[in-house]
Amino acid sequence: METKISVVVVMLIVILSGGIRDTEAQQPPPMTDAALRHVAASLQMYIDELPSMPKLLGYSVTANGSPKPATLTIGMFQIKWKFHRDIPTTTVFAYGTSATTATVPGPAIEAVRGTPTSVTWQNNLPRSHILPWDPTIPTATPKNGGVPTVVHLHGGIHPPQMDGNPAAWFTAGFSETGPTWTQSTYTYPNVQHAGNLWYHDHTLGLTRVNLLAGLIGPYVIRDPSLDAKLKLPAGPEFDRHLMVFDRSFYADGSLYMNYTGNNPTIHPQWRPEYFGEAIIVNGKAWPYLVVKRRKYRFRIINASNARYFRFSLTNGLVFIQVGSDASYLPSPVTTKTILLSPSEIADVVVDFSMASAGESELTNDAPYPFPTGNPVNPLNSKIMKFIINPGAPNPPDDSRVPLFLKSYVLPNAARASITRYIVLYEYQTSTGSPTHLYINGKRYEDPVTETPKTGSIEVWEVINLTGDNHPLHIHLAEFQAIKVQQLVDLAGFTSCMTAKNDAIACNVTAHATGKLVDVPETEKTWKNVVKIEPGYQTTVVVKFNLIDADDPYPFDVTAEPGYLYHCHILDHEDNEMVRPLKLVR
């Protein structure tokens, strides 16, 4: 009976969703996994040079050389993009100042701490989407067709009206807007400490689709005085973004996304994770970069929908990690591997003078889904190649990695005003196939339950009852994990939680007594994303003010439409592992 009802509901939603045929891509012939791998395997690795992304300055300069606020206009365009020498051009959505300058990823926006950057985001996309989407999950569906978009600055500290709320979407020319849309120009105050951010689409129910289409780009806040003090590798040649993501392609070069869901009688298109067969860095499949025998700084962003990367370097090279997400580490950490969940950022230095050979591959060995899924294969285990020029660099390398980087206020759980239990659920059919995911058993559209006070510190006990690792992203706030402990009698606890949805009533303290897992040294700073281990309770200290000097936010964070927190596996977020977050005074 339940299956029959779900089929009727799906059919009814498809019938009632006006404009579906106008706004969805035409379905090509189906592709098998083997066929997709064959297309990816036909692309020779390390043929295309790593592109340098275009840069837009989010400030102007006065006559005396001081930065002052600036306004940018950045559009979203449908363009043709060349992902590899040997594959036809691909139709994508891309950010840029014009259709001729738009790129995948979009331009790197460079801001200066304390100097506001305003961006007028313009939607120039056509009426029809280039990829399929699913009307049976909560989705922005314009009445008059078109592709809805809205931009979120990931890691940004800004008023809620500028946050890119999923319902603040707009179509081409602002001809139609979502219920929480208020303005076409977002002003980012850049009041936070220097660090790495990125911007991407955040439209209700379409985030996974619009990012897959290409709507991603890096954003960095610089602090010139701190840069001068640290003397890390600098300049466009030696300080570079690496934006890494996965994509699959049809033989004609077009992007692949499934048209049929894993439970098509419930969700015709949605699947729990998207994994591409080709690895893309800065818009090219398996590129190479020629480097000198000296130190380079790489700001590595995992912009995948669902894929985790565990990076390493061949031929004796290691990472010296100096930052995680938008914050510096207290001191550099030398590590052979770096694990990045979707949306996480690692700020690293690599010293190519230490290589044992004339080249080094950036590789990956993270299972997918993470942590217990498929092992990597010869395609997705490779990222890019560095070709190291022989001889001493000219000019000489005068950069350094200091012993001390940056300190912020410490995560003091004793000062927390409240402890919240945040529970991650995955719901499945009787055969174990996922249908949807909730936080605390609630949908996105259910009334807000997390209402922290501005300026407060909270402890979130995040309990993962699913089999996947989930990257938890909290808008506005900065946070860090301080304890990760296994849940004992997980089956019994899960059964109780399924019935009661109340961690205290299910005696969580008696279950959170298993083995402890150390928080990696590379993540002991204020983060925008924390990985939540399956079958564990992760204790997270969440801070709702500026962490650099412990200052209050210099704007009203209690205004509408509020903020969000969610899993940053985009397929999970869209179906509906996302909840509203409303700050109060």
Side-chain angles (χ1 to χ4, degrees):
M1 181 66 181
E2 186 175 342
T3 302
K4 291 181 180 179
I5 292 173
S6 66
V7 173
V8 172
V9 170
V10 169
M11 294 177 63
L12 204 57
I13 292 174
V14 172
I15 292 169
L16 295 176
S17 296
I20 292 295
R21 285 192 297 270
D22 291 337
T23 57
E24 185 175 2
Q26 295 298 309
Q27 182 171 349
M31 289 281 282
T32 64
D33 290 344
L36 292 170
R37 279 192 293 273
H38 178 76
V39 174
S42 72
L43 307 179
Q44 187 175 345
M45 294 182 182
Y46 315 138
I47 288 297
D48 291 304
E49 187 173 7
L50 178 79
S52 293
M53 286 179 279
K55 182 170 69 175
L56 295 176
L57 296 182
Y59 60 94
S60 57
V61 181
T62 64
N64 65 3
S66 300
K68 66 177 182 179
T71 298
L72 303 173
T73 299
I74 300 176
M76 303 156 226
F77 302 91
Q78 180 174 300
I79 66 167
K80 293 289 189 178
W81 185 254
K82 190 75 169 169
F83 281 101
H84 190 275
R85 181 196 67 182
D86 298 331
I87 197 167
T89 56
T90 302
T91 301
V92 297
F93 293 164
Y95 290 116
T97 55
S98 68
T100 56
T101 61
T103 55
V104 178
I109 300 174
E110 185 173 303
V112 172
R113 185 185 182 201
T115 302
T117 297
S118 296
V119 182
T120 299
W121 299 103
Q122 295 183 338
N123 183 338
N124 301 293
L125 299 175
R127 285 182 56 82
S128 298
H129 212 295
I130 60 174
L131 295 172
W133 53 281
D134 196 321
T136 65
I137 62 176
T139 301
T141 308
K143 295 178 182 178
N144 301 311
V147 178
T149 62
V150 65
V151 180
H152 169 60
L153 179 57
H154 178 106
I157 294 177
H158 40 247
Q161 303 93 324
M162 322 287 181
D163 192 48
N165 184 272
W169 53 265
F170 54 98
T171 56
F174 301 100
S175 61
E176 198 170 344
T177 58
T180 63
W181 182 90
T182 56
Q183 57 210 89
S184 58
T185 299
Y186 284 7
T187 297
Y188 305 114
N190 299 322
V191 294
Q192 65 205 81
H193 52 284
N196 299 300
L197 300 81
W198 61 297
Y199 59 95
H200 61 77
D201 185 81
H202 215 285
T203 307
L204 180 67
L206 294 173
T207 301
R208 73 197 187 287
V209 183
N210 287 348
L211 267 72
L212 194 68
L215 294 179
I216 57 175
Y219 188 110
V220 60
I221 300 177
R222 296 191 182 274
D223 183 339
S225 62
L226 181 59
D227 289 342
K229 176 184 175 183
L230 296 179
K231 293 198 68 177
L232 293 164
E237 183 178 359
F238 307 118
D239 179 359
R240 304 177 69 120
H241 282 95
L242 299 179
M243 211 160 193
V244 188
F245 48 97
D246 55 341
R247 296 290 185 271
S248 284
F249 301 94
Y250 293 95
D252 66 359
S254 57
L255 286 170
Y256 170 81
M257 189 175 194
N258 57 283
Y259 278 77
T260 304
N262 62 311
N263 286 301
T265 60
I266 300 173
H267 298 302
Q269 184 273 334
W270 178 84
R271 289 188 183 183
E273 291 94 16
Y274 174 94
F275 296 111
E277 298 293 342
I279 304 300
I280 314 296
V281 187
N282 292 6
K284 291 293 183 182
W286 297 293
Y288 72 89
L289 177 66
V290 178
V291 296
K292 299 175 180 178
R293 297 187 71 85
R294 55 153 292 161
K295 292 184 287 297
Y296 283 70
R297 182 178 187 176
F298 296 111
R299 304 166 190 260
I300 308 173
I301 305 173
N302 181 357
S304 301
N305 282 30
R307 185 181 293 279
Y308 285 58
F309 289 106
R310 187 161 50 212
F311 295 117
S312 59
L313 291 160
T314 63
N315 292 332
L317 291 179
V318 297
F319 304 101
I320 306 170
Q321 188 160 345
V322 297
S324 184
D325 291 341
S327 301
Y328 281 99
L329 294 168
S331 298
V333 177
T334 299
T335 178
K336 292 182 179 180
T337 62
I338 293 174
L339 176 65
L340 288 186
S341 67
S343 82
E344 268 192 299
I345 303 173
D347 196 341
V348 305
V349 172
V350 176
D351 188 349
F352 290 103
S353 71
M354 305 301 292
S356 60
E359 63 183 36
S360 180
E361 285 183 299
L362 181 63
T363 63
N364 163 52
D365 70 352
Y368 59 103
F370 190 81
T372 59
N374 300 315
V376 294
N377 60 40
L379 297 176
N380 55 45
S381 62
K382 307 289 188 181
I383 308 296
M384 65 176 291
K385 177 186 280 188
F386 298 101
I387 300 172
I388 307 166
N389 277 339
N394 185 22
D397 182 9
D398 63 354
S399 68
R400 65 184 184 121
V401 180
L403 295 177
F404 173 78
L405 293 163
K406 182 82 174 80
S407 62
Y408 310 100
V409 295
L410 296 175
N412 188 351
R415 291 180 54 200
S417 59
I418 190 174
T419 296
R420 301 182 189 272
Y421 287 94
I422 307 296
V423 185
L424 309 182
Y425 294 92
E426 180 180 77
Y427 301 88
Q428 301 177 343
T429 64
S430 58
T431 59
S433 183
T435 58
H436 59 289
L437 303 98
Y438 285 164
I439 299 174
N440 287 346
K442 297 183 182 299
R443 306 171 302 164
Y444 169 63
E445 56 268 36
D446 288 332
V448 63
T449 49
E450 281 65 57
T451 55
K453 290 184 178 180
T454 179
S456 67
I457 298 173
E458 295 192 351
V459 167
W460 287 20
E461 298 287 5
V462 188
I463 299 168
N464 186 354
L465 299 182
T466 81
D468 294 330
N469 190 297
H470 295 277
L472 175 69
H473 175 45
I474 307 174
H475 290 210
L476 179 71
E478 295 181 274
F479 49 101
Q480 54 181 298
I482 60 170
K483 184 180 180 183
V484 183
Q485 189 154 24
Q486 189 177 34
L487 297 165
V488 299
D489 185 20
L490 180 61
F493 181 66
T494 301
S495 177
C496 180
M497 289 296 294
T498 302
K500 297 182 178 180
N501 191 28
D502 186 326
I504 295 176
C506 289
N507 196 15
V508 64
T509 55
H511 292 274
T513 57
K515 69 177 180 180
L516 292 167
V517 173
D518 291 336
V519 177
E521 293 296 321
T522 54
E523 298 179 21
K524 290 184 177 179
T525 188
W526 293 99
K527 302 264 296 164
N528 307 126
V529 175
V530 164
K531 293 182 281 286
I532 307 300
E533 294 280 348
Y536 280 73
Q537 177 177 275
T538 301
T539 304
V540 180
V541 176
V542 188
K543 198 162 177 57
F544 293 98
N545 63 358
L546 300 176
I547 57 100
D548 200 4
D550 214 12
D551 291 330
Y553 300 121
F555 43 80
D556 184 9
V557 295
T558 67
E560 295 296 336
Y563 299 94
L564 306 172
Y565 70 98
H566 57 85
C567 172
H568 219 289
I569 294 174
L570 303 181
D571 315 273
H572 297 179
E573 175 188 350
D574 277 352
N575 188 24
E576 289 188 75
M577 198 172 253
V578 53
R579 288 288 293 146
L581 179 73
K582 187 72 170 67
L583 271 73
V584 298
R585 291 185 177 87

